[in-house]
Amino acid sequence: GIQVEQSPPDLILQEGANSTLRCNFSDSVNNLQWFHQNPWGQLINLFYIPSGTKQNGRLSATTVATERYSLLYISSSQTTDSGVYFCAVGPGYSTLTFGKGTMLLVSP
Amino acid sequence: DAGVIQSPRHEVTEMGQEVTLRCKPISGHDYLFWYRQTMMRGLELLIYFNNNVPIDDSGMPEDRFSAKMPNASFSTLKIQPSEPRDSAVYFCASRTGAGVSEAFFGQGTRLTVV
C-alpha cells in the first residue's frame, strides 16, 4: 500500500515562531488532508488539499502532487497550536492512509 | 450539523466482555469509516461502508471484531470477546459520496480492556 512519511517527528517552538511540516507519499493520490489532533484527542480538519495551495489564517498548505509531497506552514505559532499534526492520503477516492504525525509543542 | 457523533466517549471493560461502539455519521454522507489509533500502529483503517454496505473489512484484526450499518444514520463496531490488546481509541468518520471529498471524524471512543 501507499507509504506516508512525515517530518520532523517532533518539534518544539517558542510562541511566535514559524514552522514547516512535511508529508511525503509514495504514490499518486487523489485525496490529501491535514489534521490537528489536539491534547484532548480530537481530530480537527485543517485542509483538504490534494493539489495546490490554501490558506486559513496563520496556517497554509501546499501540495505538489507531481512530486508527491505536501507542506503545512504554521506562522506566529501559539500554545494552542500544540498537538499532533497528521497528513492522510488516499490513492483512490475512498479511504485515507495516515502518516505517523508530527508532534508539536509550542511553549510560552 | 452536529458532526459525527460517537458513543460512549470512554469505555472500561473487563477482558472477555462484549463491547459495542456506536457512531452516527453526518446526515447525507454516503461513506462511513472505522479507524483505530494506538501508540504502536498509529491510525489504521478497520472497515468502511458505502451506502450502508461494507466495502473493505481487510483491516479488521480478528474475527472477534464485527461492524454493521443497519441504516444510513447508524453504525456499530462490536468486539467479542474483548482483550487487553484491544485497548485503543476508536474513531468513526464520514464523508459524502460526491467525487473526492474530505472526511470528518468523530471525537472517538477511548476503550480500555482490563
Side-chain angles (χ1 to χ4, degrees), chain B residues 1-2 12 59 78 85 93 95 102 113:
Chain B
D1 200 312
V12 180
K78 183 180 294 186
R85 59 191 166 129
R95 71 166 186 84
E102 65 183 305
V113 183

Side-chain angles (χ1 to χ4, degrees), chain A residues 8-62:
Chain A
D10 304 281
L11 188 58
I12 300 175
L13 299 174
Q14 287 275 9
E15 203 167 24
N18 303 328
S19 61
T20 301
L21 281 56
R22 187 176 180 101
C23 172
N24 292 333
F25 40 94
S26 61
D27 206 346
S28 302
V29 298
N30 293 303
N31 193 354
L32 190 147
Q33 290 186 239
W34 283 97
F35 296 89
H36 175 217
Q37 188 166 39
N38 64 22
W40 293 270
Q42 265 186 295
L43 280 167
I44 299 166
N45 288 36
L46 296 178
F47 293 102
Y48 167 68
I49 186 166
S51 64
T53 297
K54 291 186 177 180
Q55 180 156 6
N56 184 2
R58 296 180 296 103
L59 272 60
S60 64
T62 295

Side-chain angles (χ1 to χ4, degrees), chain B residues 2 26 28 43 53-54 59 67 79 88 101 104 107 109-110:
Chain B
I26 294 172
L43 275 152
V53 176
I79 308 172
S101 62
F104 294 88
Q107 292 184 301
T109 295
R110 181 174 295 277

Side-chain angles (χ1 to χ4, degrees), chain A residues 4-6 86-89 97-101, chain B residues 42-43:
Chain A
V4 184
E5 291 186 6
Q6 293 188 242
F86 288 103
C87 170
V89 305
T97 299
F98 281 78
K100 295 186 184 302
Chain B
L43 275 152

